[in-house]
Amino acid sequence: MLALNAASSPTRFSPLPPRAQPVPVRRAVASPLDAVATPQTAKAGQVLFQEGDPAAALFEVTKGVVRLCRMMPDGRRSITGFAFPGAILGLPIGEVFAYTAEAITGCELRRATRSAVGRLLESNADFARRMLAVMSDELSAAQDQMLLLGRKHAAERLASFLLWVARKNGRASCEASQLDLPMSRTDVADYLGLTTETVSREMTKLRQAGVVTLPTPQRIKILQPELLQQIAEEGEATALHSSRVTTARWPS
Amino acid sequence: MLALNAASSPTRFSPLPPRAQPVPVRRAVASPLDAVATPQTAKAGQVLFQEGDPAAALFEVTKGVVRLCRMMPDGRRSITGFAFPGAILGLPIGEVFAYTAEAITGCELRRATRSAVGRLLESNADFARRMLAVMSDELSAAQDQMLLLGRKHAAERLASFLLWVARKNGRASCEASQLDLPMSRTDVADYLGLTTETVSREMTKLRQAGVVTLPTPQRIKILQPELLQQIAEEGEATALHSSRVTTARWPS
DNA sequence: CGGTCGGTTGAAACTGATCAACAAGGGTGG
DNA sequence: CCACCCTTGTTGATCAGTTTCAACCGACCG
């Protein structure tokens, strides 16, 4: 599994300049969490906590990517989210964790005990406000995802997902950019409510239409972000008909 | 549209005894919101606020049912939730509302201005904690819904939905109970990521299998709650094969 | 070098959507 | 008060998108 950031991969320490922090989206200032949190690392595939476990701690991802899963008794899996650096994991409230968290890449985390977080919430109004804001954002993202799962076609789902990852990687969506997909096709499928085969097929269509390039399955370059945007919200058909496509046509 | 509670329907004031408050689920004690909130009513179909509007206020539903919607540019609609009495509507944080809220039945609400809520959050740690708990619950519900939309079949979705409504109506799920479905089939479909036709067909299947009765389209009686539960999490096929069905078989 | 895993591609099957018709209420206006 | 209309829900027939089943390929690993 490819690591998200070059620096987080112990196997290849390339001479690449450690480019400016990939995504400091949320934590503009030092978090009060820093004082009470202990650093922790997780290997790829490692389970941080499981759905139903007593919610003993709260995590902040500082490096790597984590998947949040729910399972059905018969094994069907839904990934309810991917946690990129800056994301906060155990909800600050529930008695038990609402989902399972597994590291996709090697990860670095900050871990704070439930009681410490409780004390922070009591004493630090600003921290409490920020937690509310974080949950508010998550709730909004969850609603986006419900719209995606309930009403979008496969092509729209994949396009939306790729644009979301591009945004998470801190790249302007209008700029042709290469980005990492640290998660497997199965993870993407379970996130988008599809099968790996369908994800793969739709990815191929995007490639053949000249919208993206795939140097490797885990690395993707968005050639036509505005077209991808159109596919995300209007469907493949209209998107490729209404725009002046220069190089390639949509297959079948 | 049938009203949720007999008392909220001005057209027929039946001699029914006004049975004990249907659902005081969340507000065990008087909410601090009471002090700063002003009462308000909404007619069925009325829009309380729209996605994108500046989030000027927070609402608490005290009577009736509200639907929370998101729209796609081409008109596809997703209902991200139904707000029953006790639910809190505008998120306490975002700059703008994340969804559109429309009254399904006649509603009674409490409305508190954004600034008043902000002051409450500052001064009243208990209130802030409760808001966090409310959002935590909503987030958990949102994840359930993502699993439903991404991985469940039509029959499982409808069964899950009916059980959820039964729970909201405060009835023990194991008890054969009659309950109101104040929302239209279209609303149910947009909530479950299906079409009205599919909802209708699956409802018919449940009726023909003897799992439920439908005195009217908006009123449903669950005859076999445990069977419905099984359909919700294991699919229709296994559910009706593994249990000793006495009266009716699953059609086709 | 064989085995396994993740990804891709092909063909067939199936679930749910779409298109269409119809029935039952409920409300409105004559 | 009744006729009409419009909305909502139901049912049928067909269609299409996605899944399922299967094969294959390449990379990585023991």
Side-chain angles (χ1 to χ4, degrees), chain A residues 141-204:
Chain A
Q143 286 165 358
D144 284 341
Q145 191 69 1
M146 285 190 241
L147 177 61
L148 179 145
L149 292 170
R151 286 290 174 242
K152 289 191 180 180
H153 292 170
E156 301 172 299
R157 295 186 196 190
L158 183 59
S160 302
F161 172 70
L162 294 177
L163 288 168
W164 177 75
V165 174
R167 249 178 284 123
K168 281 286 160 186
N169 279 34
R171 315 291 169 53
S173 62
C174 57
E175 154 200 351
S177 58
Q178 187 158 331
L179 52 93
D180 289 303
L181 289 182
M183 64 290 289
S184 70
R185 293 288 186 267
T186 305
D187 286 343
V188 176
D190 285 345
Y191 182 61
L192 298 179
L194 301 169
T195 58
T196 59
E197 293 95 329
T198 301
V199 171
S200 187
R201 275 186 252 272
E202 293 299 333
M203 200 73 95
T204 302

Side-chain angles (χ1 to χ4, degrees), chain A residues 6-50:
Chain A
S8 68
S9 164
T11 56
R12 50 183 185 107
F13 247 93
S14 63
L16 281 170
R19 57 163 177 257
Q21 279 293 0
V23 194
V25 176
R26 302 196 181 180
R27 313 189 330 107
V29 296
S31 165
L33 219 50
D34 294 352
V36 299
T38 61
Q40 181 178 334
T41 63
K43 292 201 180 79
Q46 188 176 331
V47 175
L48 300 180
F49 54 81
Q50 282 204 304

Side-chain angles (χ1 to χ4, degrees), chain A residues 42-77:
Chain A
K43 292 201 180 79
Q46 188 176 331
V47 175
L48 300 180
F49 54 81
Q50 282 204 304
E51 182 181 351
D53 282 358
L58 175 145
F59 297 80
E60 178 179 356
V61 181
T62 52
K63 191 174 282 188
V65 183
V66 177
R67 64 170 167 249
L68 317 179
C69 318
R70 285 215 173 177
M71 297 284 292
M72 286 181 68
D74 66 356
R76 279 175 284 181
R77 189 179 71 160

